[in-house]
Amino acid sequence: MKILILGAGKMGSFFCDVLSFDHEVAIYDIDPKRMRFTYNCQRLTSLDEVTAFGPELLINASTVKYTIAAFDQVLPYLSKDCIISDIASVKTGLLEYYQKSGFRFCSTHPMFGPTFASLSDLSKENAIIISEGDYMGKIFFKDLYQKLKLHIFEYSFEEHDETVAYSLSIPFVSTFVFAAVMKHMEAPGTTFKRHEAIARGVLNEDDYLLQEILFNPNTAQQVENIQKAMDDLHDIIEKKDAVRMKEFLTKIRKNAL
């Protein structure tokens, strides 16, 4: 299959590497310097070359801020037989965009990301395939993710956003709270160092990505849940209530273990 990848960032380069040995792959980025370390693929430097390449599948791996803008740029150069797809972690507005595009489409979310996952071993990581997509597109990504040994789930666009609000907003908000009150220590403990490493990893993410995840319509409820738990814990600590502390620890151990 002829596959065009938009964006030569970490995820775009990863998909290029994974697919290039079984498919004819081309990659395009508005900044040609970002394609320096891609190999076994065609490096396109202008959109005119997209038409000549004739992709059968487009994987949009652009930064989430530019997902739709990248589609807008490239769609005029594609055959109407091409399946267009994205791997964005934020799907806001994409269903409506796809429905108006006139192209067959497929949307997935490889939930491992480059920040913490080991890209050489993804057997403990997950991927979501959106149900409202082209059948052949979904089959393609299902086969790919199975080869990568990912755990695959199929959700609707709405279910995906609810899942992301839970699985990303809770750790992100908790990390923000930690980072907001932390100070650098000369001799930090092991637990502190681990939290600090997580904070650095999360805060290295693109600001727009963090914003869009937190602005997910489902995130506010998760933040309220965190705030209520913090209020309960603060009251227990302030009153030195050993009985309630025991109950609190029992409850959270059930959640965590």
Side-chain angles (χ1 to χ4, degrees):
M1 179 183 286
K2 285 189 171 185
I3 300 172
L4 172 64
I5 296 173
L6 285 184
K10 292 178 180 177
M11 290 303 291
S13 298
F14 171 76
F15 272 85
C16 183
D17 292 346
V18 167
L19 293 168
S20 62
F21 291 98
D22 298 315
H23 303 275
E24 188 176 348
V25 174
I27 190 165
Y28 173 78
D29 196 291
I30 56 173
D31 181 3
K33 292 180 181 178
R34 300 186 74 190
M35 297 188 287
R36 287 178 297 178
F37 303 110
T38 56
Y39 66 99
N40 201 35
C41 66
Q42 294 186 41
R43 302 174 187 176
L44 308 186
T45 57
S46 73
L47 289 171
D48 290 333
E49 295 177 88
V50 171
T51 302
F53 177 68
E56 300 164 84
L57 172 67
L58 167 71
I59 300 177
N60 188 343
S62 303
T63 304
V64 65
K65 182 178 181 179
Y66 301 109
T67 300
I68 290 179
F71 274 136
D72 284 339
Q73 278 191 317
V74 77
L75 291 194
Y77 299 88
L78 300 177
S79 162
K80 283 297 182 180
D81 294 328
C82 182
I83 300 173
I84 63 175
S85 70
D86 74 277
I87 57 170
S89 55
V90 177
K91 305 294 186 185
T92 305
L94 279 173
L95 176 58
E96 294 80 4
Y97 183 88
Y98 281 135
Q99 290 172 333
K100 293 178 180 178
S101 72
F103 286 83
R104 292 184 294 159
F105 66 88
C106 183
S107 184
T108 74
H109 181 185
M111 297 186 71
F112 45 90
T115 302
F116 295 113
S118 170
L119 298 184
S120 61
D121 180 13
L122 298 171
S123 58
K124 295 182 180 179
E125 306 297 340
N126 303 316
I128 293 174
I129 296 176
I130 302 300
S131 57
E132 302 106 319
D134 178 78
Y135 176 76
M136 295 306 297
K138 291 193 292 184
I139 291 296
F140 173 86
F141 280 101
K142 184 176 181 180
D143 289 345
L144 172 62
Y145 292 154
Q146 284 178 336
K147 288 179 181 177
L148 294 173
K149 299 181 180 179
L150 291 164
H151 301 279
I152 302 169
F153 302 88
E154 186 166 325
Y155 295 149
S156 67
F157 276 100
E158 183 177 357
E159 290 169 335
H160 169 270
D161 288 347
E162 291 173 354
T163 300
V164 168
Y166 180 78
S167 66
L168 293 183
S169 65
I170 289 178
F172 278 20
V173 170
S174 301
T175 298
F176 290 171
V177 171
F178 170 80
V181 300
M182 69 174 281
K183 62 180 181 179
H184 294 287
M185 301 174 63
E186 291 184 3
T190 301
T191 302
F192 184 94
K193 287 191 289 185
R194 288 180 178 176
H195 280 285
E196 186 178 36
I198 292 172
R200 286 175 177 168
V202 170
L203 294 172
N204 277 331
E205 294 283 8
D206 178 74
D207 285 357
Y208 185 84
L209 171 62
L210 298 175
Q211 171 185 297
E212 288 303 292
I213 288 172
L214 294 179
F215 287 177
N216 181 318
N218 301 285
T219 296
Q221 182 59 56
Q222 303 302 333
V223 176
E224 288 179 18
N225 294 340
I226 293 173
Q227 189 169 16
K228 182 180 183 304
M230 291 297 295
D231 289 341
D232 290 344
L233 182 58
H234 179 268
D235 188 61
I236 291 170
I237 293 171
E238 192 173 54
K239 294 177 179 177
K240 296 182 173 60
D241 191 329
V243 174
R244 286 176 62 202
M245 176 58 78
K246 177 67 174 177
E247 292 172 349
F248 184 85
L249 292 174
T250 299
K251 177 183 176 180
I252 64 175
R253 282 195 177 104
K254 286 181 180 178
N255 290 343
L257 299 178

